Amino acid sequence: MKMLNPQHKPRLERRIAGATNRWRLPRQPVSGDLLALSQLCKALSIDFDEALKNPHRLYVSQIQKIFSENLKNKAVQNGEADVILECLGFKWELHQPQLFQSKTLTKLYLGALARATTSPVKELEKLLQAHLTGKIKERPPVKKMIISLKINDPLVTKVAFATALKNLYMSEAEINMDDILGVLASAHILQFSTLFQRCVAMMMSGLTPSTIKNVYLAGCKYKEEQLTTACEKWLEMNLVPLVGTQIHLRKIPQELLHKVLKSPRLFTFSEFHLLKILLLWVYLQLNHKIQTIPTYETVLAFFISCPRKSSFLDRDTGQSLIPLFLCLRLHGITKGKDLEELRHMNFFPESWLVRVIANHYHALESGGDMAHVKDLTAQAVRFGLFFSQEYTTFSKMIAIYGFFFEIKGTKHDTTSYSFYMQRMRHTDVEFSSLVSEHGPVSLRAERLVKYEIRAQALVDGKWQEFRTGQIMQKFGLIKPSCKSHVLKVQTVGIPIYASFSFIFPIS
């Protein structure tokens, strides 16, 4: 047995672990110094228990940390490749510093290194030491490794995967929006976090009616909450004014549509307008060959032509759609013509329509009091103004239970706006079209109203929201009592989605 001379022991290298300058010996991944190991794990964002079970993971994290820092200030490497990656029927030549940005490729490389050398830990230490000291050119040549990666994700194309690998060398390499889903999928498989987050940011800022379906499904597939939340918020504002006017409405997944319909932030011009959009979505699901947006009359005729034995929602085809239509606030549809269409189309169960008509009758009988409505957030009657670039002033007239209101938006300068509602007299010229011979007119001098006005605009990929909060006010017929609280908005975002929600409490 060979004994070492204690006076000639090799001097052990020491390394700082963590921010407290506590030292530990790196020759053995786990020494008796558990406090230092804990600090090292914290510095490298590694789970302490995992490091005890798999100490070689410390080397993986150190390699990625060191190379990611070194790559910030160094030019792209042009020398001979260290690794050949076999994937998608191609052979890709890669270099170690760039390769280690990908957790997947790092693991594959270390696995190949372990199989090809008798002492992989020593090889890793040499590699780390060379980069720590800056003597990259002086390190002994490492045998070129061949690694293989199998990809089963159909979103990953050769072009997208090549783009992902290119981003290992160029952090701002151009990404074609046509390939963005494939690049995102490639980044997910490579565990290349910086590229993945860059793709997420690009997809969030590029939402359109034609892309929202794929972006949302990608968010669900890769469990990226940023993407799914961005899709929900975007669709809450754009379902009615934008998506509902295009054939892309057909592609909106039912799960996403249901989330948006339940949201109190959903923008709509009126409840009946939202109903028409939802009926159109159902029509497009049932008529796959239709490639252009049909008129509302065509949609209405389709449902009227269905068998009259039972309502559409009572049939097998409609049962799964009931949760969508339960999100509608049918009591917000008050025009006689619109209510007659609801009955005539035979879409809703008879019990639903009876309840709506009964609630309207009781409200009219009690001077407008909405006894059936309690929660402003979930049950309010809602209307909206889509305030676009060309407007300086925009308003809409509303008639409900014999009371008349104007909702109005005004642009004061390039970034300053105000929104409010005010009670009007039925004799005002603007209301001549709303007051028919048989239309109700309330003579009450005051009307208690609980309301909220909110406005939203998209600025640099983030939604700005302005709101009055819930206000209880008695609206008279003369100033100042006829006018609501004014919502003042300061934003560079355009368009502005202004929503007016209110109920008539029992008074």
Side-chain angles (χ1 to χ4, degrees), residues 208-210 212 234-235 237-252 277 280-281 284 293:
T208 66
S210 62
I212 187 168
W234 186 88
L235 194 59
M237 294 297 102
N238 291 290
L239 173 64
V240 173
L242 182 60
V243 181
T245 65
Q246 301 184 23
I247 197 66
H248 301 296
L249 175 66
R250 166 190 283 142
K251 299 177 182 178
I252 302 299
I277 297 296
L280 175 58
W281 181 85
L284 293 173
I293 286 288

Side-chain angles (χ1 to χ4, degrees), residues 258-277:
H258 188 218
K259 288 180 180 179
V260 168
L261 290 173
K262 288 193 300 182
S263 172
R265 296 182 298 273
L266 174 62
F267 173 85
T268 183
F269 300 122
S270 69
E271 203 66 35
F272 192 66
H273 206 112
L274 180 60
L275 169 62
K276 291 195 289 186
I277 297 296

Side-chain angles (χ1 to χ4, degrees), residues 146-364:
I146 298 178
I147 58 177
S148 297
L149 177 62
K150 292 184 179 180
I151 296 178
N152 297 318
D153 192 331
L155 289 178
V156 179
T157 64
K158 292 176 181 177
V159 171
F161 190 72
T163 302
L165 293 180
K166 185 178 180 181
N167 274 267
L168 292 171
Y169 291 81
M170 301 172 62
S171 60
E172 295 300 321
E174 184 179 353
I175 301 176
N176 191 317
M177 284 302 295
D178 293 336
D179 300 320
I180 192 71
L181 278 172
V183 178
L184 178 84
S186 301
H188 176 78
I189 289 169
L190 291 171
Q191 296 184 69
F192 186 3
S193 59
T194 54
L195 176 59
F196 187 86
Q197 290 304 319
R198 184 183 169 202
C199 291
V200 167
M202 290 179 64
M203 293 166 77
M204 287 168 58
S205 63
L207 284 173
T208 66
S210 62
T211 64
I212 187 168
K213 173 193 172 182
N214 289 335
V215 172
Y216 178 75
L217 293 179
C220 294
K221 180 175 182 178
Y222 303 118
K223 296 179 174 58
E224 185 57 39
E225 191 175 343
Q226 283 188 86
L227 283 181
T228 55
T229 300
C231 290
E232 290 168 21
K233 288 185 175 181
W234 186 88
L235 194 59
E236 286 167 0
M237 294 297 102
N238 291 290
L239 173 64
V240 173
L242 182 60
V243 181
T245 65
Q246 301 184 23
I247 197 66
H248 301 296
L249 175 66
R250 166 190 283 142
K251 299 177 182 178
I252 302 299
Q254 184 171 337
E255 176 192 5
L256 174 58
L257 187 59
H258 188 218
K259 288 180 180 179
V260 168
L261 290 173
K262 288 193 300 182
S263 172
R265 296 182 298 273
L266 174 62
F267 173 85
T268 183
F269 300 122
S270 69
E271 203 66 35
F272 192 66
H273 206 112
L274 180 60
L275 169 62
K276 291 195 289 186
I277 297 296
L278 199 47
L279 290 173
L280 175 58
W281 181 85
V282 175
Y283 175 84
L284 293 173
Q285 305 308 304
L286 300 174
N287 296 273
H288 301 288
K289 294 182 179 180
I290 299 295
Q291 296 301 317
T292 57
I293 286 288
T295 62
Y296 171 65
E297 289 71 25
T298 300
V299 176
L300 189 61
F302 171 80
F303 289 114
I304 290 175
S305 67
C306 293
R308 309 292 293 183
K309 293 180 181 180
S310 61
S311 71
F312 181 85
L313 290 181
D314 280 330
R315 298 178 209 135
D316 292 340
T317 310
Q319 285 289 315
S320 63
L321 303 176
I322 289 178
L324 297 179
F325 288 89
L326 283 173
C327 297
L328 294 178
R329 306 173 187 181
L330 294 179
H331 58 270
I333 300 174
T334 59
K335 288 184 181 179
K337 176 178 175 294
D338 297 341
L339 292 169
E340 182 60 26
E341 285 184 7
L342 285 187
R343 186 192 66 80
H344 191 51
M345 72 174 65
N346 194 36
F347 188 89
F348 294 97
E350 187 69 21
S351 60
W352 290 30
L353 300 180
V354 169
R355 184 168 61 251
V356 171
I357 298 301
N359 287 335
H360 288 334
Y361 175 81
H362 291 306
L364 285 168

Side-chain angles (χ1 to χ4, degrees), residues 403-406 421-426 428 442-449 473-484:
F403 296 91
F404 303 90
F405 292 87
E406 177 187 32
M421 58 186 285
Q422 61 183 343
R423 186 179 172 190
M424 309 289 284
R425 297 178 184 273
H426 71 280
D428 292 337
S442 176
L443 300 178
R444 292 180 62 169
E446 291 184 329
R447 173 65 258 175
L448 183 65
V449 181
Q473 177 181 334
K474 285 185 177 180
F475 280 80
L477 290 168
I478 58 174
K479 293 182 178 179
S481 65
C482 68
K483 189 174 180 179
S484 74

Side-chain angles (χ1 to χ4, degrees), residues 65 89 110 121 139 193 229 248 284 381 457:
K65 187 178 181 69
L110 295 179
V121 172
R139 68 177 174 88
S193 59
T229 300
H248 301 296
L284 293 173
V381 177

